[in-house]
Amino acid sequence: MILAMAMQAATAVPPRPRPRPAPAEETISYVVKPRDTLDRLSRSFLVPAQTWKKLLPLARIRDPHRLPIGRTLVIPRSWLRFTVEPAQLASYRGTIMVAIDGRAVPPAIGGTIGEGAQISTAANSFVTLILADRSKLVIPSQSKVTVRQLRRILLTGTMEYRVDVEAGRVETKVTPLPSPQDRYRIGTPISLTAVRGTEFRVGYDTGPRLAAAEVLSGTVAVSRPDGAAMQLVDHAYGATTDAGGVTTLAALLPAPDLLDPGKLQTADSVEFHVTPIEGAARYRVVLASDAGFVENLAEQIADGRDFALTDVPNGNLFIRVSAIGGNGLEGLAQAFSFTRRLASIHAEAKQEADGFRFRWFGAGGGKRRYRFQLMNGSLDSRAIVDEVGLTRDEVMLRNLPPGTYYWRVGLSQTDESGEAESWTNPEKLTITAPGKRGRSK
């Protein structure tokens, strides 16, 4: 119950006009429910510095005992209590650093990330966070991010998320926010991006002090850090904001294709070739073990269209490719599935006193058998030497007459995933007349 003296004081004052509310993004609207009282609301939902008396002008009433059901209270967010709902570190790869209150802590899959956490990623390193509402936040390579807010306001259940990109970029897929008062914001030193449920990227280049927002679905609002000069950016468009606060909109480049993306990847490095996109300055590929790109494995950005990624594990994997325009905006992306089964084979030929020794080596697991072929005159000719089912890693040939030959080595590798075959590129071997040494190229 509210103290009687307080009630008398409250009813003695004349009605006051409704105060001018704070900006919409700084207030919460609450509709009064049955059995609500100013005392209960203040005790349960206001921070200690605020009291029920502060709610009187917001409720526009004389008698604090008579709080009209259905009356809307517009309350400053700073008055309201909240709980922190930590994010979960769903995955990471490479070299990352997590700091809490300036103190480094070891990252742990499944561990919690709370407000104030700073996360940094080195080259070819990734972090994926899953927020309380199942929104996903990916921090790619060479980025530095501070988690500012992960909170739920007790009065309304409203979610407030705020992440600041100090360098690099973030990629996020936001679960649609159920309430118009929910906020999901990504800040940089010179911009603020706000959404309600969409997929987008935000980046900040510390060199030219240029912020970028790229919208992959839905619509985002881009503004200055204080919320001024807001512009809406729709799907397939991006916005760059310079140090002077000037925002420029541009269409995103379309998603490029890959040449033969589904081929079995058996070589030491995983290789892909991008089809050219007009207006592209660079291209970016990301490898992941899952179609949602939560478990990212590798990333590469190149000026050209050819990519080779090393240390890629075996399995059914996914690659995502996008083009980066001259304005710095990364375009739309598309993903492909492929199978990685390391079964590499390399070979060399050396002339010895009594002939030529052909040796081979490579990487991969399981049972490996080899096939050696030697053709005389041309690649299309029938093999004059064709040895199959070899388990050794060399062949010695003697008494080869002078001439031009082509040779290659095949590999058949069998493991629990099945069988993979690969060949070395054909090599040319020229054997000269007696007294001169042969050569292979």
Side-chain angles (χ1 to χ4, degrees):
M1 294 292 295
I2 301 176
L3 297 176
M5 184 173 64
M7 290 192 297
Q8 294 171 358
T11 55
V13 297
R16 287 175 287 184
R18 186 177 182 181
R20 182 180 180 182
E25 69 274 15
E26 299 301 332
T27 61
I28 288 287
S29 295
Y30 176 74
V31 178
V32 175
K33 298 177 175 58
R35 295 188 296 277
D36 276 345
T37 66
L38 294 182
D39 183 60
R40 188 185 76 83
L41 293 178
S42 64
R43 288 178 181 273
S44 301
F45 302 111
L46 297 190
V47 298
Q50 308 301 331
T51 68
W52 64 268
K53 294 181 180 180
K54 294 287 188 71
L55 296 176
L56 280 172
L58 302 182
R60 308 184 307 283
I61 59 174
R62 292 173 178 268
D63 184 354
H65 270 128
R66 297 180 179 274
L67 189 56
I69 297 173
R71 177 69 53 87
T72 298
L73 307 181
V74 181
I75 307 171
R77 288 177 183 254
S78 61
W79 292 13
L80 296 170
R81 294 183 184 181
F82 60 86
T83 59
V84 174
E85 303 218 346
Q88 181 187 61
L89 201 162
S91 69
Y92 76 90
R93 184 177 178 87
T95 302
I96 73 169
M97 185 178 73
V98 180
I100 307 294
D101 296 327
R103 179 176 58 88
V105 296
I109 301 296
T112 58
I113 299 294
E115 291 186 351
Q118 291 185 318
I119 303 173
S120 301
T121 58
N124 207 31
S125 302
F126 306 88
V127 174
T128 300
L129 303 181
I130 302 297
L131 307 187
D133 68 347
R134 307 309 297 170
S135 295
K136 180 181 71 173
L137 184 77
V138 177
I139 307 172
S141 303
Q142 297 177 318
S143 299
K144 184 178 181 181
V145 167
T146 299
V147 179
R148 297 292 183 194
Q149 293 180 338
L150 298 170
R151 55 185 63 173
R152 183 188 299 272
I153 294 177
L154 294 177
L155 178 64
T156 58
T158 301
M159 301 302 300
E160 288 201 349
Y161 295 131
R162 170 70 183 259
V163 175
D164 285 353
V165 181
E166 299 173 37
R169 64 188 187 279
V170 296
E171 303 168 1
T172 184
K173 187 172 185 178
V174 181
T175 300
L177 302 174
S179 168
Q181 302 188 99
D182 291 325
R183 298 197 304 189
Y184 189 113
R185 299 178 296 172
I186 305 291
T188 74
I190 59 175
S191 69
L192 185 66
T193 302
V195 300
R196 293 201 39 74
T198 184
E199 186 173 1
F200 67 106
R201 301 182 292 249
V202 172
Y204 180 63
D205 191 337
T206 58
R209 298 195 66 212
L210 186 72
E214 300 135 3
V215 184
L216 306 181
S217 67
T219 301
V220 308
V222 176
S223 68
R224 295 173 183 169
D226 61 0
M230 185 186 72
Q231 295 193 52
L232 295 180
V233 185
D234 291 326
H235 161 69
Y237 278 80
T240 56
T241 303
D242 62 21
V246 176
T247 298
T248 303
L249 303 183
L252 298 181
L253 292 175
D257 286 317
L258 294 175
L259 298 177
D260 195 14
K263 72 174 183 179
L264 181 64
Q265 296 279 350
T266 60
D268 290 315
S269 61
V270 170
E271 298 181 354
F272 292 96
H273 308 282
V274 181
T275 57
I277 291 289
E278 185 178 355
R282 294 178 296 168
Y283 297 90
R284 177 177 179 239
V285 297
V286 177
L287 296 188
S289 60
D290 66 300
F293 287 80
V294 173
E295 298 278 352
N296 290 340
L297 302 174
E299 173 190 47
Q300 198 171 101
I301 297 175
D303 295 336
R305 297 184 287 110
D306 300 325
F307 290 86
L309 300 103
T310 59
D311 299 324
V312 177
N314 287 341
N316 297 319
L317 306 178
F318 300 85
I319 180 169
R320 187 177 66 201
V321 58
S322 56
I324 302 173
N327 56 6
L329 291 174
E330 182 178 341
L332 300 176
Q334 63 175 326
F336 304 85
S337 63
F338 71 97
T339 299
R340 165 61 163 165
R341 190 176 302 154
L342 178 59
S344 65
I345 181 72
H346 308 276
E348 61 183 12
K350 290 187 177 180
Q351 185 174 11
E352 299 184 357
D354 55 348
F356 288 87
R357 187 179 301 275
F358 300 86
R359 292 178 175 172
W360 49 85
F361 54 93
K367 187 176 182 179
R368 293 166 64 94
R369 293 185 180 276
Y370 306 98
R371 181 176 183 178
F372 175 83
Q373 289 184 330
L374 180 75
M375 284 72 71
N376 188 4
S378 73
L379 282 171
D380 299 328
S381 64
R382 185 175 180 178
I384 60 174
V385 177
D386 193 352
E387 296 196 33
V388 299
L390 300 174
T391 57
R392 63 185 187 274
D393 58 4
E394 65 174 41
V395 163
M396 183 70 182
L397 297 181
R398 299 178 175 86
N399 302 318
L400 286 174
T404 299
Y405 300 87
Y406 293 87
W407 64 276
R408 64 178 186 167
V409 180
L411 166 66
S412 175
Q413 177 179 293
T414 306
D415 55 26
E416 64 277 2
S417 300
E419 184 177 5
E421 294 185 353
S422 54
W423 286 87
T424 62
N425 292 325
E427 298 282 350
K428 183 178 181 181
L429 172 66
T430 301
I431 301 179
T432 58
K436 300 181 179 180
R437 299 182 67 84
R439 55 191 177 94
S440 176
K441 62 179 181 180

